[in-house]
Amino acid sequence: MDFELSPEQSQLREMCREFAANELIPHARKWDEEHRFPAEAVKKLGELGLLAIAVPTEWGGAGMDNVAYALAMEEISRGCASTGVTMSVNNSLYCDPVLKYGTEAQKREFLLPYTAGERLGCFGLTEPEAGSDAAAQKTIAVKKGDQYVINGSKNWITNGPVADAIVLFTMTAPEKGNKGITAFLVPTDTPGFVRMKPDRKLGICASQSCSIYFEDMKVPARNVLGGEGSGFKVAMSTLDGGRIGIAAQALGIARAAYEEALAYSKERKTFGRPIADHQAIAFMLADMAVELDAARLLVWRAALLKNQGVRHSKESAMAKLYASEMSHRVTHRALQVYGGYGYSKEFDVERHSRDARITELYEGTSEIQRIVIAASALKG
Ligand code: CAA
């Protein structure tokens, strides 16, 4: 077993750390307060190859592996969790399924412009009545000649307000249950694609999500992704990769809170000495350090398995479950280290504790991750 990163992975991590220090950390508080999408920073991510890290260079990606992707997600999210999820959706939920299931023609149209930051993708699975129960899709696609007519709605679509294309899941044969689901690639300027205004949220306020309605939206049959009736497997296998990205995002948020609390504990004095000298605080910092490393090991293991091309549903679910709940605990402990100041908008730790919370909800709640892990354990 080898925990050494390759020179390319180390370089990428260093580049992302510098990018976060220079381009994200100085602005993240303001973007959060103003609910402002960091369009310039996202464009720069594209120029640096960070919007398609594990996509081969022939398709415009960085041609790196999934461990590199996890390293980059941790560093970018350490700087700004909202920028982190924007990047994660384009990498994992958009480019990855197009690369894996797309035809050559689909990759030319729907992958190449999305790897360089010229355009942004999103992933349309969640519906008002199909969140955790992803197979309960109500959005309907009816075939008429060589096109499909799509009606229905999606909600909480991250990148929805700014995306140029969507990987869209629909029901084409309701009587077949999850085997009646079909995925499509749809440009967001297609007539009948109607976006609502961005959602107002507790955290990741600079990342934009929205509801989307489809009103007699016509999509050519050549835009079916992965074959009619295969949509559920496209969605689930895509989420196996996406959950690695969100786990790494949770890790980055927690590390930001931990590093800030560590520095603060050396400066702030009570009872005549730095609070770090009080065992109550030092033990909190020790627990945070252990949990961060444990989460990172789970994330890297899942990423390594994805590199090997083997099914990694359980390992991704474990990484996402542990890292997100760890991020909740660590950010709240960090806030405790700050005492009353932690509750103030003058410091970033309150934002980290709000940003961490979503990682226990999206790309499958903690309860869904436990279902996936238990199903795998019970199967033996
Ligand atoms: N890879 C490949 N195939 C898979 C799979 C996977 N990871 N998981 C399941 N399947 C297959 C199964 O093998 C099965 O196939 P067969 O019938 O041929 O045997 C089929 O799919 C059905 O599987 P299940 O019976 O396990 O399906 P289920 O209906 O019980 O659902 C679930 C399982 C785990 C609960 C699933 O519905 C789920 O993951 N729900 C959560 C949805 C989710 O994560 N949504 C996130 C939305 S995206 C988002 O959040 C983006 C964002 O904002 C950033």
Side-chain angles (χ1 to χ4, degrees):
M1 199 174 298
D2 184 1
F3 291 107
E4 279 297 306
L5 298 178
S6 70
E8 294 76 25
Q9 289 167 339
S10 297
Q11 267 169 17
L12 177 84
R13 181 160 73 171
E14 213 35 59
M15 179 185 83
C16 292
R17 208 166 268 183
E18 251 177 62
F19 183 83
N22 298 329
E23 308 278 347
L24 302 177
I25 293 172
H27 312 292
R29 196 183 304 169
K30 196 170 165 58
W31 291 338
D32 170 76
E33 274 167 17
E34 296 176 358
H35 292 243
R36 194 196 311 166
F37 180 71
E40 273 306 303
V42 172
K43 192 161 171 285
K44 286 182 190 164
L45 289 183
E47 287 160 9
L48 292 171
L50 297 176
L51 290 179
I53 294 170
V55 172
T57 49
E58 64 188 287
W59 289 111
M64 298 189 76
D65 71 350
N66 294 289
V67 173
Y69 170 54
L71 293 169
M73 272 301 299
E74 178 182 339
E75 296 305 325
I76 297 301
S77 305
R78 191 253 171 270
C80 171
S82 296
T83 307
V85 72
T86 307
M87 164 179 158
S88 154
V89 166
N90 199 74
N91 272 278
S92 299
L93 298 189
Y94 182 82
C95 290
D96 196 50
V98 182
L99 176 70
K100 191 163 171 198
Y101 298 104
T103 61
E104 289 284 307
Q106 286 175 338
K107 286 184 205 168
R108 272 194 298 279
E109 184 178 353
F110 288 99
L111 187 56
L112 264 180
Y114 292 81
T115 50
E118 289 162 38
R119 295 190 191 163
L120 214 53
C122 67
F123 181 81
L125 178 67
T126 303
E127 297 185 359
E129 290 175 62
S132 288
D133 186 4
Q137 297 283 304
K138 295 270 190 302
T139 294
I140 287 277
V142 178
K143 195 163 187 202
K144 290 201 174 142
D146 59 357
Q147 61 185 11
Y148 287 79
V149 180
I150 300 180
N151 280 285
S153 68
K154 299 284 167 185
N155 62 350
W156 298 120
I157 304 307
T158 305
N159 291 358
V162 288
D164 300 283
I166 185 169
V167 174
L168 177 65
F169 297 88
T170 68
M171 200 48 110
T172 43
E175 71 287 356
K176 293 188 184 162
N178 69 47
K179 295 202 167 43
I181 295 172
T182 300
F184 290 88
L185 291 167
V186 186
T188 56
D189 60 3
T190 305
F193 185 101
V194 183
R195 328 179 210 228
M196 298 293 105
K197 61 179 187 336
D199 300 316
R200 300 287 288 182
K201 311 183 295 293
L202 172 74
I204 54 161
C205 297
S207 145
Q208 293 200 341
S209 66
C210 69
S211 295
I212 303 173
Y213 290 85
F214 312 103
E215 297 170 355
D216 287 331
M217 182 175 76
K218 296 182 181 66
V219 177
R222 66 170 187 278
N223 287 20
V224 167
L225 178 68
E228 192 170 308
S230 303
F232 195 68
K233 288 194 178 171
V234 172
M236 291 299 114
S237 59
T238 298
L239 284 166
D240 286 343
R243 288 167 184 164
I244 298 173
I246 298 304
Q249 183 204 21
L251 183 55
I253 298 168
R255 211 184 87 221
Y258 165 73
E259 287 176 358
E260 288 160 21
L262 188 70
Y264 184 78
S265 73
K266 294 183 204 162
E267 287 164 16
R268 170 78 177 160
K269 289 191 174 138
T270 60
F271 305 101
R273 47 190 174 133
I275 59 172
D277 287 353
H278 300 304
Q279 205 174 57
I281 301 295
F283 278 12
M284 279 195 226
L285 293 167
D287 287 344
M288 289 188 229
V290 174
E291 291 208 56
L292 277 161
D293 272 12
R296 189 174 294 107
L297 292 175
L298 286 172
V299 172
W300 287 7
R301 178 181 67 168
L304 277 170
L305 287 174
K306 183 160 161 56
N307 283 351
Q308 289 162 13
V310 297
R311 178 119 175 221
H312 52 94
S313 309
K314 180 184 77 178
E315 290 78 7
S316 288
M318 285 182 168
K320 157 83 161 67
L321 173 66
Y322 185 77
S324 60
E325 294 191 345
M326 173 282 293
S327 196
H328 182 141
R329 285 191 295 274
V330 165
T331 54
H332 280 71
R333 261 190 222 129
L335 197 152
Q336 196 69 18
V337 170
Y338 275 82
Y341 287 109
Y343 204 62
S344 151
K345 294 267 180 193
E346 310 255 312
F347 293 92
D348 290 328
V349 71
E350 64 82 27
R351 172 166 52 85
H352 302 322
S353 69
R354 287 185 287 109
D355 287 348
R357 192 64 181 85
I358 187 63
T359 64
E360 296 171 286
L361 300 168
Y362 58 20
E363 299 205 24
T365 60
S366 295
E367 292 69 29
I368 290 296
Q369 309 310 324
R370 288 188 168 89
I371 286 175
V372 172
I373 296 161
S376 170
L378 290 167
K379 217 159 49 182

